[in-house]
Coordinates of all heavy atoms in Angstrom, one line a residue:
M1 N 10.0 -13.1 20.2 CA 9.3 -13.0 19.0 C 8.6 -14.3 18.8 O 9.2 -15.4 19.0 CB 10.2 -12.7 17.8 CG 9.5 -12.5 16.5 SD 10.6 -12.1 15.1 CE 11.6 -10.8 15.7
D2 N 7.3 -14.3 18.4 CA 6.6 -15.5 18.2 C 6.8 -16.0 16.8 O 7.3 -15.3 15.9 CB 5.1 -15.2 18.3 CG 4.6 -15.0 19.7 OD1 5.3 -15.5 20.7 OD2 3.6 -14.3 19.9
T3 N 6.6 -17.3 16.6 CA 6.8 -17.9 15.3 C 5.5 -18.3 14.7 O 4.4 -18.4 15.4 CB 7.7 -19.1 15.3 OG1 7.0 -20.1 16.1 CG2 9.1 -18.9 15.9
M4 N 5.4 -18.3 13.4 CA 4.2 -18.7 12.6 C 4.6 -19.5 11.5 O 5.5 -19.2 10.7 CB 3.5 -17.4 12.1 CG 2.3 -17.7 11.4 SD 1.5 -16.1 10.8 CE 0.9 -15.4 12.3
N5 N 4.0 -20.7 11.3 CA 4.3 -21.6 10.2 C 3.2 -21.4 9.1 O 2.0 -21.3 9.4 CB 4.3 -23.1 10.7 CG 5.4 -23.3 11.7 OD1 6.5 -22.8 11.5 ND2 5.1 -24.0 12.8
I6 N 3.7 -21.4 7.9 CA 2.8 -21.3 6.8 C 3.0 -22.5 5.8 O 4.2 -22.9 5.7 CB 2.8 -20.0 6.1 CG1 4.2 -19.7 5.5 CG2 2.4 -18.9 7.0 CD1 4.2 -18.5 4.6
A7 N 2.0 -22.9 5.1 CA 2.2 -23.9 4.0 C 2.1 -23.2 2.7 O 1.2 -22.4 2.5 CB 1.2 -25.0 4.2
L8 N 3.0 -23.5 1.8 CA 3.0 -22.9 0.5 C 3.1 -24.0 -0.6 O 3.9 -25.0 -0.4 CB 4.2 -22.0 0.3 CG 4.3 -20.7 1.1 CD1 5.6 -20.0 0.9 CD2 3.1 -19.8 0.8
P9 N 2.4 -23.9 -1.7 CA 2.7 -24.8 -2.8 C 4.1 -24.6 -3.3 O 4.7 -23.5 -3.1 CB 1.7 -24.4 -3.8 CG 1.0 -23.1 -3.4 CD 1.4 -22.8 -2.0
E10 N 4.7 -25.6 -4.0 CA 6.0 -25.6 -4.4 C 6.4 -24.3 -5.2 O 7.5 -23.8 -5.1 CB 6.4 -26.8 -5.2 CG 7.9 -27.0 -5.5 CD 8.8 -27.0 -4.3 OE1 8.4 -27.5 -3.3 OE2 9.8 -26.3 -4.4
N11 N 5.5 -23.9 -6.1 CA 5.8 -22.8 -7.0 C 6.0 -21.5 -6.2 O 6.8 -20.7 -6.5 CB 4.8 -22.6 -8.1 CG 3.4 -22.3 -7.6 OD1 3.0 -22.7 -6.5 ND2 2.6 -21.6 -8.4
L12 N 5.1 -21.3 -5.1 CA 5.3 -20.1 -4.3 C 6.5 -20.2 -3.4 O 7.2 -19.2 -3.2 CB 4.0 -19.9 -3.4 CG 2.8 -19.5 -4.1 CD1 1.6 -19.3 -3.2 CD2 3.0 -18.2 -5.0
K13 N 6.8 -21.4 -2.9 CA 8.0 -21.6 -2.1 C 9.3 -21.3 -2.9 O 10.1 -20.5 -2.5 CB 8.1 -23.0 -1.6 CG 9.3 -23.3 -0.7 CD 9.3 -24.8 -0.3 CE 10.6 -25.1 0.4 NZ 10.8 -26.5 0.8
S14 N 9.3 -21.7 -4.2 CA 10.4 -21.4 -5.0 C 10.5 -19.9 -5.3 O 11.6 -19.3 -5.3 CB 10.3 -22.1 -6.4 OG 10.4 -23.5 -6.2
F15 N 9.4 -19.3 -5.5 CA 9.4 -17.8 -5.8 C 9.9 -17.1 -4.6 O 10.8 -16.2 -4.7 CB 7.9 -17.3 -6.1 CG 7.8 -15.9 -6.2 CD1 8.2 -15.2 -7.4 CD2 7.4 -15.1 -5.1 CE1 8.1 -13.9 -7.5 CE2 7.3 -13.7 -5.3 CZ 7.7 -13.1 -6.4
V16 N 9.5 -17.4 -3.4 CA 10.0 -16.8 -2.1 C 11.5 -17.0 -2.0 O 12.2 -16.0 -1.7 CB 9.2 -17.3 -0.9 CG1 9.8 -16.8 0.4 CG2 7.7 -16.8 -1.0
Q17 N 11.9 -18.2 -2.1 CA 13.3 -18.5 -2.0 C 14.2 -17.7 -3.0 O 15.2 -17.2 -2.7 CB 13.6 -20.0 -2.2 CG 13.1 -20.7 -0.9 CD 13.2 -22.3 -1.2 OE1 13.1 -22.8 -2.3 NE2 13.3 -23.0 -0.1
N18 N 13.7 -17.5 -4.2 CA 14.3 -16.7 -5.2 C 14.4 -15.3 -4.9 O 15.4 -14.6 -5.0 CB 13.6 -16.9 -6.6 CG 14.4 -16.2 -7.7 OD1 15.6 -16.4 -7.8 ND2 13.7 -15.4 -8.5
Q19 N 13.3 -14.8 -4.3 CA 13.2 -13.4 -3.9 C 14.2 -13.1 -2.7 O 14.9 -12.1 -2.7 CB 11.8 -13.0 -3.4 CG 10.8 -13.0 -4.5 CD 11.2 -12.1 -5.6 OE1 11.4 -10.9 -5.5 NE2 11.3 -12.7 -6.8
V20 N 14.4 -14.1 -1.9 CA 15.3 -13.9 -0.8 C 16.7 -13.8 -1.3 O 17.5 -13.0 -1.0 CB 15.2 -15.1 0.3 CG1 16.3 -15.1 1.2 CG2 13.8 -15.0 0.9
E21 N 17.1 -14.7 -2.2 CA 18.4 -14.8 -2.8 C 18.7 -13.5 -3.7 O 19.7 -12.9 -3.6 CB 18.6 -16.0 -3.7 CG 18.6 -17.3 -2.9 CD 18.5 -18.5 -3.8 OE1 18.6 -18.4 -5.0 OE2 18.2 -19.6 -3.2
M22 N 17.7 -13.1 -4.5 CA 17.9 -12.0 -5.4 C 17.7 -10.6 -4.8 O 18.2 -9.6 -5.2 CB 17.0 -12.1 -6.6 CG 17.2 -13.4 -7.4 SD 18.8 -13.7 -8.0 CE 18.8 -12.5 -9.3
G23 N 16.9 -10.6 -3.7 CA 16.6 -9.3 -3.1 C 17.4 -8.9 -1.9 O 17.2 -7.9 -1.3
G24 N 18.4 -9.7 -1.6 CA 19.3 -9.4 -0.5 C 18.8 -9.5 0.9 O 19.3 -8.9 1.8
Y25 N 17.8 -10.4 1.0 CA 17.2 -10.7 2.3 C 18.1 -11.7 2.9 O 18.6 -12.6 2.3 CB 15.8 -11.1 2.2 CG 14.9 -10.0 1.6 CD1 14.5 -10.1 0.3 CD2 14.4 -9.0 2.4 CE1 13.7 -9.1 -0.3 CE2 13.5 -8.0 1.8 CZ 13.2 -8.1 0.5 OH 12.4 -7.2 0.0
S26 N 18.2 -11.7 4.3 CA 19.0 -12.7 5.0 C 18.2 -14.0 5.2 O 18.8 -15.0 5.5 CB 19.5 -12.1 6.3 OG 18.5 -11.8 7.2
S27 N 16.9 -13.9 5.2 CA 16.1 -15.1 5.4 C 14.6 -14.9 4.8 O 14.2 -13.8 4.5 CB 15.9 -15.3 6.9 OG 15.2 -14.3 7.5
V28 N 14.0 -16.0 4.8 CA 12.6 -16.0 4.3 C 11.7 -15.1 5.3 O 10.9 -14.4 4.9 CB 12.0 -17.4 4.2 CG1 10.5 -17.4 4.0 CG2 12.7 -18.2 3.1
S29 N 12.0 -15.2 6.6 CA 11.3 -14.5 7.6 C 11.5 -12.9 7.3 O 10.5 -12.2 7.4 CB 11.8 -14.8 9.0 OG 11.4 -16.1 9.4
E30 N 12.7 -12.5 7.0 CA 12.9 -11.1 6.8 C 12.1 -10.6 5.5 O 11.5 -9.6 5.5 CB 14.4 -10.9 6.5 CG 14.7 -9.4 6.3 CD 16.2 -9.2 6.0 OE1 17.0 -10.1 6.1 OE2 16.5 -8.0 5.6
Y31 N 12.0 -11.5 4.5 CA 11.3 -11.2 3.3 C 9.8 -11.1 3.6 O 9.1 -10.1 3.2 CB 11.5 -12.2 2.2 CG 10.7 -12.1 1.0 CD1 10.9 -11.0 0.1 CD2 9.7 -13.0 0.7 CE1 10.1 -10.9 -1.0 CE2 8.9 -12.9 -0.4 CZ 9.1 -11.8 -1.3 OH 8.4 -11.7 -2.4
V32 N 9.3 -12.0 4.4 CA 7.8 -12.0 4.7 C 7.5 -10.8 5.6 O 6.5 -10.1 5.4 CB 7.4 -13.3 5.4 CG1 6.0 -13.3 6.0 CG2 7.5 -14.5 4.4
R33 N 8.4 -10.5 6.6 CA 8.2 -9.3 7.4 C 8.1 -8.0 6.5 O 7.2 -7.2 6.8 CB 9.3 -9.1 8.5 CG 9.1 -10.1 9.6 CD 10.1 -9.7 10.8 NE 11.4 -9.9 10.4 CZ 12.2 -11.0 10.6 NH1 11.6 -12.1 11.1 NH2 13.4 -11.0 10.3
E34 N 9.0 -7.9 5.5 CA 9.0 -6.8 4.7 C 7.7 -6.7 3.9 O 7.1 -5.6 3.7 CB 10.1 -6.9 3.7 CG 10.2 -5.7 2.7 CD 10.5 -4.3 3.4 OE1 11.0 -4.3 4.6 OE2 10.1 -3.3 2.8
L35 N 7.2 -7.8 3.4 CA 5.9 -7.9 2.7 C 4.7 -7.4 3.6 O 3.9 -6.6 3.2 CB 5.6 -9.3 2.2 CG 6.4 -9.8 1.0 CD1 6.0 -11.2 0.7 CD2 6.3 -8.9 -0.2
I36 N 4.8 -7.8 4.8 CA 3.7 -7.5 5.8 C 3.8 -6.0 6.1 O 2.8 -5.3 6.1 CB 3.8 -8.3 7.1 CG1 3.5 -9.8 6.8 CG2 2.9 -7.7 8.2 CD1 3.8 -10.7 7.9
R37 N 5.0 -5.4 6.3 CA 5.2 -4.0 6.5 C 4.6 -3.2 5.4 O 3.9 -2.2 5.5 CB 6.6 -3.6 6.8 CG 7.1 -4.1 8.1 CD 8.5 -3.6 8.4 NE 9.1 -4.3 9.5 CZ 10.0 -5.3 9.4 NH1 10.5 -5.7 8.2 NH2 10.5 -5.9 10.4
K38 N 4.9 -3.6 4.1 CA 4.4 -2.9 2.9 C 2.9 -2.9 2.9 O 2.3 -2.0 2.6 CB 5.0 -3.5 1.7 CG 6.5 -3.2 1.4 CD 6.9 -3.8 0.1 CE 8.4 -3.6 -0.1 NZ 8.9 -4.2 -1.3
D39 N 2.3 -4.1 3.3 CA 0.9 -4.2 3.3 C 0.3 -3.3 4.3 O -0.7 -2.6 4.1 CB 0.5 -5.6 3.5 CG -1.0 -5.9 3.3 OD1 -1.6 -5.4 2.3 OD2 -1.7 -6.6 4.1
Q40 N 0.9 -3.2 5.5 CA 0.4 -2.3 6.6 C 0.5 -0.9 6.1 O -0.5 -0.1 6.3 CB 1.3 -2.5 7.8 CG 1.0 -3.7 8.6 CD 2.0 -3.8 9.8 OE1 3.2 -3.5 9.7 NE2 1.5 -4.3 10.9
K41 N 1.5 -0.4 5.4 CA 1.7 0.9 4.9 C 0.6 1.2 3.9 O 0.0 2.3 3.9 CB 3.1 1.2 4.4 CG 4.1 1.3 5.4 CD 5.5 1.5 4.7 CE 6.6 1.5 5.8 NZ 7.9 1.6 5.2
E42 N 0.3 0.2 3.0 CA -0.7 0.4 2.0 C -2.1 0.6 2.6 O -2.8 1.4 2.2 CB -0.7 -0.8 1.0 CG -1.6 -0.6 -0.1 CD -1.6 -1.8 -1.1 OE1 -0.5 -2.4 -1.2 OE2 -2.6 -2.1 -1.7
K43 N -2.4 -0.2 3.6 CA -3.7 -0.2 4.3 C -3.8 1.2 5.0 O -4.9 1.8 4.9 CB -3.8 -1.3 5.3 CG -3.8 -2.7 4.7 CD -5.1 -3.2 4.1 CE -5.1 -4.6 3.8 NZ -4.4 -5.0 2.6
A44 N -2.8 1.6 5.6 CA -2.8 2.9 6.3 C -3.0 4.1 5.3 O -3.8 5.0 5.5 CB -1.5 3.2 7.1
R45 N -2.3 4.0 4.2 CA -2.5 5.0 3.1 C -3.9 5.0 2.6 O -4.5 6.0 2.4 CB -1.4 4.8 2.0 CG -1.4 5.9 1.0 CD -0.7 5.5 -0.3 NE -1.4 4.4 -0.9 CZ -0.9 3.4 -1.5 NH1 0.4 3.4 -1.7 NH2 -1.5 2.4 -2.0
D46 N -4.4 3.8 2.4 CA -5.8 3.7 1.9 C -6.8 4.3 2.8 O -7.8 4.9 2.5 CB -6.2 2.2 1.6 CG -5.4 1.7 0.4 OD1 -4.8 2.4 -0.4 OD2 -5.5 0.4 0.2
A47 N -6.6 4.0 4.1 CA -7.5 4.6 5.2 C -7.4 6.1 5.2 O -8.4 6.8 5.4 CB -7.1 4.0 6.5
L48 N -6.2 6.6 5.1 CA -6.0 8.1 5.1 C -6.7 8.7 3.8 O -7.3 9.7 4.0 CB -4.5 8.4 5.1 CG -4.1 9.9 5.0 CD1 -4.7 10.7 6.2 CD2 -2.6 10.1 5.0
E49 N -6.5 8.1 2.7 CA -7.1 8.5 1.5 C -8.6 8.6 1.6 O -9.3 9.5 1.2 CB -6.7 7.7 0.3 CG -7.2 8.2 -1.0 CD -6.8 7.4 -2.2 OE1 -5.6 7.0 -2.2 OE2 -7.6 7.1 -3.1
A50 N -9.2 7.5 2.2 CA -10.7 7.5 2.5 C -11.1 8.6 3.4 O -12.1 9.2 3.1 CB -11.1 6.1 3.1
E51 N -10.4 8.9 4.4 CA -10.7 10.0 5.3 C -10.6 11.4 4.6 O -11.4 12.2 4.8 CB -9.8 10.0 6.5 CG -10.1 8.9 7.5 CD -11.5 8.9 8.1 OE1 -11.9 10.0 8.5 OE2 -12.1 7.9 8.1
I52 N -9.6 11.5 3.7 CA -9.4 12.8 3.0 C -10.6 12.9 2.0 O -11.2 14.0 1.9 CB -8.1 12.8 2.2 CG1 -6.9 12.9 3.2 CG2 -8.1 13.9 1.2 CD1 -5.6 12.7 2.6
L53 N -11.0 11.8 1.3 CA -12.1 11.9 0.4 C -13.4 12.2 1.2 O -14.3 13.0 0.7 CB -12.3 10.6 -0.4 CG -11.2 10.4 -1.4 CD1 -11.3 9.0 -2.0 CD2 -11.2 11.5 -2.4
K54 N -13.6 11.6 2.4 CA -14.7 11.9 3.2 C -14.8 13.4 3.6 O -15.8 14.0 3.5 CB -14.7 11.0 4.4 CG -16.0 11.1 5.2 CD -16.1 10.0 6.3 CE -14.9 9.8 7.2 NZ -15.2 8.9 8.3
G55 N -13.6 13.9 3.9 CA -13.6 15.3 4.3 C -13.9 16.2 3.1 O -14.7 17.2 3.2
L56 N -13.4 15.9 1.9 CA -13.7 16.6 0.7 C -15.2 16.6 0.3 O -15.7 17.5 -0.2 CB -12.8 16.1 -0.5 CG -11.3 16.5 -0.4 CD1 -10.6 15.7 -1.5 CD2 -11.1 18.0 -0.4
D57 N -15.8 15.5 0.6 CA -17.2 15.3 0.3 C -18.2 15.8 1.3 O -19.4 15.7 1.2 CB -17.5 13.8 0.0 CG -16.8 13.3 -1.3 OD1 -16.5 14.0 -2.1 OD2 -16.7 12.0 -1.3
S58 N -17.6 16.3 2.4 CA -18.5 16.7 3.6 C -19.1 18.1 3.4 O -19.9 18.5 4.3 CB -17.7 16.7 4.9 OG -16.7 17.7 4.9
G59 N -18.8 18.8 2.4 CA -19.4 20.1 2.1 C -18.3 21.2 2.1 O -17.1 20.9 2.2
D60 N -18.8 22.4 2.1 CA -18.0 23.5 2.0 C -17.2 23.7 3.3 O -17.8 23.5 4.4 CB -18.7 24.8 1.7 CG -19.3 24.8 0.3 OD1 -18.7 24.1 -0.6 OD2 -20.3 25.4 0.0
A61 N -16.0 24.2 3.3 CA -15.2 24.5 4.5 C -15.8 25.8 5.2 O -16.4 26.6 4.6 CB -13.8 24.8 4.1
T62 N -15.7 25.7 6.5 CA -16.1 26.9 7.3 C -15.0 27.3 8.2 O -14.1 26.5 8.5 CB -17.3 26.5 8.2 OG1 -16.9 25.4 9.1 CG2 -18.5 26.1 7.4
P63 N -14.8 28.6 8.5 CA -13.7 29.0 9.3 C -13.7 28.4 10.7 O -14.8 28.2 11.3 CB -13.9 30.6 9.4 CG -14.9 30.9 8.3 CD -15.7 29.7 8.1
M64 N -12.6 28.2 11.3 CA -12.5 27.7 12.6 C -12.7 28.8 13.6 O -12.1 29.9 13.4 CB -11.1 27.0 12.9 CG -10.9 25.7 12.1 SD -11.9 24.4 12.7 CE -11.1 24.0 14.3
T65 N -13.5 28.6 14.6 CA -13.7 29.6 15.6 C -12.9 29.3 16.9 O -12.4 28.1 17.0 CB -15.2 29.7 16.0 OG1 -15.6 28.4 16.6 CG2 -16.1 29.9 14.7
A66 N -12.8 30.2 17.8 CA -12.2 30.0 19.1 C -12.8 28.8 19.8 O -12.2 28.0 20.5 CB -12.2 31.2 19.9
D67 N -14.2 28.7 19.7 CA -14.9 27.6 20.4 C -14.5 26.3 19.8 O -14.5 25.3 20.4 CB -16.4 27.9 20.2 CG -16.9 29.0 21.1 OD1 -16.2 29.4 22.1 OD2 -18.0 29.6 20.8
D68 N -14.4 26.2 18.4 CA -14.0 25.0 17.8 C -12.6 24.5 18.3 O -12.4 23.4 18.6 CB -13.8 25.2 16.2 CG -15.2 25.5 15.6 OD1 -16.2 25.0 16.1 OD2 -15.2 26.2 14.5
W69 N -11.7 25.4 18.4 CA -10.3 25.1 18.9 C -10.4 24.7 20.4 O -9.7 23.7 20.8 CB -9.3 26.3 18.8 CG -8.9 26.5 17.4 CD1 -9.3 27.5 16.5 CD2 -8.1 25.6 16.6 NE1 -8.7 27.4 15.3 CE2 -8.0 26.2 15.3 CE3 -7.5 24.4 16.8 CZ2 -7.3 25.6 14.2 CZ3 -6.8 23.8 15.7 CH2 -6.7 24.4 14.5
Q70 N -11.2 25.3 21.2 CA -11.4 24.9 22.6 C -12.0 23.5 22.7 O -11.5 22.7 23.5 CB -12.3 25.9 23.3 CG -12.3 25.6 24.8 CD -11.0 25.6 25.5 OE1 -10.1 26.4 25.2 NE2 -10.8 24.7 26.5
A71 N -12.9 23.2 21.8 CA -13.5 21.9 21.8 C -12.5 20.8 21.5 O -12.5 19.7 22.0 CB -14.7 21.8 20.8
I72 N -11.7 21.1 20.5 CA -10.6 20.2 20.1 C -9.6 19.9 21.2 O -9.3 18.8 21.6 CB -9.8 20.7 18.8 CG1 -10.8 20.6 17.6 CG2 -8.6 19.9 18.6 CD1 -10.2 21.4 16.4
R73 N -9.2 21.0 21.9 CA -8.3 20.9 23.1 C -8.9 20.0 24.2 O -8.3 19.2 24.7 CB -8.0 22.3 23.6 CG -7.0 23.0 22.8 CD -6.6 24.4 23.5 NE -6.0 25.2 22.5 CZ -6.5 26.2 21.8 NH1 -7.8 26.4 21.9 NH2 -5.9 26.9 21.0
E74 N -10.2 20.2 24.4 CA -10.9 19.4 25.5 C -11.0 18.0 25.1 O -10.8 17.1 25.9 CB -12.3 20.0 25.7 CG -12.2 21.3 26.5 CD -13.6 22.0 26.6 OE1 -14.6 21.3 26.3 OE2 -13.6 23.2 27.0
E75 N -11.2 17.7 23.8 CA -11.3 16.3 23.3 C -9.9 15.6 23.5 O -9.8 14.5 23.9 CB -11.7 16.2 21.9 CG -11.8 14.9 21.3 CD -12.8 14.0 22.0 OE1 -13.8 14.5 22.5 OE2 -12.6 12.7 22.0
V76 N -8.8 16.4 23.2 CA -7.5 15.8 23.3 C -7.2 15.5 24.7 O -6.5 14.5 25.1 CB -6.4 16.8 22.6 CG1 -5.0 16.4 23.0 CG2 -6.6 16.8 21.2
K77 N -7.5 16.4 25.6 CA -7.3 16.2 27.1 C -7.9 15.0 27.6 O -7.5 14.2 28.5 CB -7.7 17.4 27.9 CG -6.8 18.6 27.7 CD -7.3 19.8 28.5 CE -6.4 21.0 28.3 NZ -6.9 22.2 29.0
K78 N -9.2 14.7 27.1 CA -9.9 13.5 27.5 C -9.2 12.2 27.1 O -9.2 11.2 27.8 CB -11.3 13.5 26.9 CG -12.2 14.5 27.4 CD -13.6 14.4 26.7 CE -14.5 15.5 27.1 NZ -15.8 15.4 26.3
R79 N -8.5 12.3 26.0 CA -7.8 11.0 25.5 C -6.6 10.8 26.4 O -6.0 9.8 26.5 CB -7.4 11.2 24.0 CG -8.6 11.2 23.1 CD -8.2 11.3 21.7 NE -9.4 11.5 20.9 CZ -9.4 11.6 19.6 NH1 -8.2 11.5 19.0 NH2 -10.4 11.8 18.9

């Protein structure tokens, strides 16, 4: 695992240390990793929501045909 050093003002450093103590984290690193994971999940959720909205705004739904399914299968095989 790689390491990364960050500089924090005293008030943020105190906040993080308090969160570690009160939140049951074993270290500052564990707390920061959890924050990053939460941010990743939020970004993924936002991207999914944007795709859903794009689909909803794309017009009326049309029935899937056998040709549509075949095209999807061929695209998956290419990947």
